Amino acid sequence: MGKFAKWLGAGAGFTLGGPIGAIVGFVVGSFIDGISIEDFTQEQQEYQQRQYEGTRGRATSGDFEISLLILASVVIKADGKIDQRELDYVRMYFVKMYGKDRANHAFKLFSGIIKKQISTRQVCLQIRQHMSHSTRLQLVHFLFGIAKADGQVSGTEEQEIRKIASYLYINEYDYSSIKAMFYNESDSAYKMLEITKQASNDEIKKAYRRMAKKHHPDKLQNLGEEHKKGANEKFQKIQVAYEQIKKERGIN
């Protein structure tokens, strides 16, 4: 593991290359002490060599972390201002996920990322090539959490998250399900299960089983226990939505 990966506190793979690697390289060269751009370039070269040798692995915890920080910066800047409550949400999330030391390093990286112009489409295309569907769903869930940190999701923030979701090949049903977790509407529970109020009781039960399987924390097992914990929040919202519908309908 190179100097940057050790500093970050996690391994990194695909995010060392492509447009994401260029963003991280800019931050390393401009905002982070103790790691030179030469150190980072060497890690990039080592990753490219592993790719050439056919030993490319799945997305790592570090890849998810870096992708999260970059997309979070896009959403936070979407409404034309940087809200301290949203920054605090990012810091709090990383402390809860990774502990204080690793979170401090992540936030220092984030402080540099947020100062750079990002090509959302290019970043998302790179993420899409390397991350599973379940992992991409978790990214979108986190982005809504950031947008809601100041009390409401603004129209411009929602538009930005929708654009990110489309670039990540998240379909409308999955997107609406995650979005409903952050809106208190009369049909939110149904939207979370990707059904309508007209669904039969049997259809509701089938929808819950399908959604519980899709959002189960074990889907993120390759990213480590910390990310399984983060995914559990989304999984619990699906369970709460199902229990709410059962109570309304008197389903046993």
Side-chain angles (χ1 to χ4, degrees):
M1 188 182 289
K3 282 188 177 180
F4 173 72
K6 287 179 181 177
W7 175 85
L8 185 64
F14 77 85
T15 51
L16 293 174
I20 294 178
I23 294 167
V24 177
F26 162 79
V27 176
V28 167
S30 305
F31 297 95
I32 297 176
D33 298 325
I35 307 170
S36 69
I37 193 64
E38 289 78 16
D39 293 328
F40 184 71
T41 301
Q42 182 177 346
E43 286 183 66
Q44 288 181 311
Q45 291 171 346
E46 289 171 356
Y47 171 69
Q48 289 170 355
Q49 181 63 29
R50 291 197 300 272
Q51 277 192 311
Y52 176 77
E53 293 171 354
T55 57
R56 184 179 69 182
R58 300 168 71 182
T60 67
S61 178
D63 291 327
F64 184 88
E65 190 172 340
I66 292 168
S67 300
L68 204 54
L69 292 172
I70 292 174
L71 294 180
S73 75
V74 171
V75 172
I76 285 176
K77 293 188 290 186
D79 55 6
K81 63 182 186 298
I82 298 176
D83 192 291
Q84 186 61 45
R85 288 167 293 186
E86 294 172 336
L87 295 178
D88 289 343
Y89 180 92
V90 175
R91 183 186 287 277
M92 179 189 69
Y93 180 91
F94 274 82
V95 169
K96 183 173 72 172
M97 291 280 286
Y98 307 120
K100 193 171 181 179
D101 287 344
R102 183 168 163 186
N104 285 341
H105 286 152
F107 206 77
K108 189 168 186 178
L109 185 65
F110 181 69
S111 298
I113 290 170
I114 206 165
K115 293 178 172 64
K116 185 164 176 58
Q117 285 294 111
I118 305 293
S119 171
T120 307
R121 182 176 179 275
Q122 287 185 351
V123 165
C124 288
L125 289 179
Q126 186 178 358
I127 292 170
R128 194 178 79 204
Q129 289 174 348
H130 296 273
M131 282 191 182
S132 68
H133 182 252
S134 297
T135 309
R136 286 178 273 137
L137 289 177
Q138 187 63 18
L139 283 173
V140 172
H141 183 267
F142 177 80
L143 296 178
F144 267 112
I146 292 174
K148 189 71 180 290
D150 59 357
Q152 64 177 0
V153 181
S154 72
T156 51
E157 288 172 330
E158 194 274 330
Q159 288 172 11
E160 198 64 50
I161 298 172
R162 180 181 289 274
K163 182 168 69 175
I164 288 169
S166 69
Y167 289 152
L168 293 177
Y169 276 11
I170 304 298
N171 66 40
E172 186 62 30
Y173 291 107
D174 285 332
Y175 177 79
S176 296
S177 172
I178 294 174
K179 178 183 173 183
M181 298 177 187
F182 297 89
Y183 287 76
N184 187 20
E185 298 174 344
S186 60
D187 60 346
S188 289
Y190 289 88
K191 286 181 178 178
M192 285 186 218
L193 298 185
E194 298 184 0
I195 52 176
T196 67
K197 287 186 174 182
Q198 287 69 47
S200 67
N201 290 350
D202 283 343
E203 287 172 334
I204 290 168
K205 291 178 181 178
K206 289 177 182 177
Y208 168 69
R209 289 194 293 269
R210 183 179 70 251
M211 296 302 289
K213 183 178 180 181
K214 180 188 294 185
H215 293 287
H216 198 282
D218 284 349
K219 293 278 189 177
L220 301 184
Q221 194 166 7
N222 64 298
L223 296 181
E225 286 300 316
E226 62 267 31
H227 291 289
K228 285 179 65 177
K229 291 176 184 176
N232 195 53
E233 179 185 342
K234 178 159 50 70
F235 184 66
Q236 288 175 340
K237 287 181 179 179
I238 295 293
Q239 292 177 309
V240 169
Y242 180 54
E243 292 300 324
Q244 179 184 327
I245 294 172
K246 285 205 306 180
K247 186 176 180 180
E248 289 175 359
R249 292 195 173 203
I251 302 173
N252 294 324

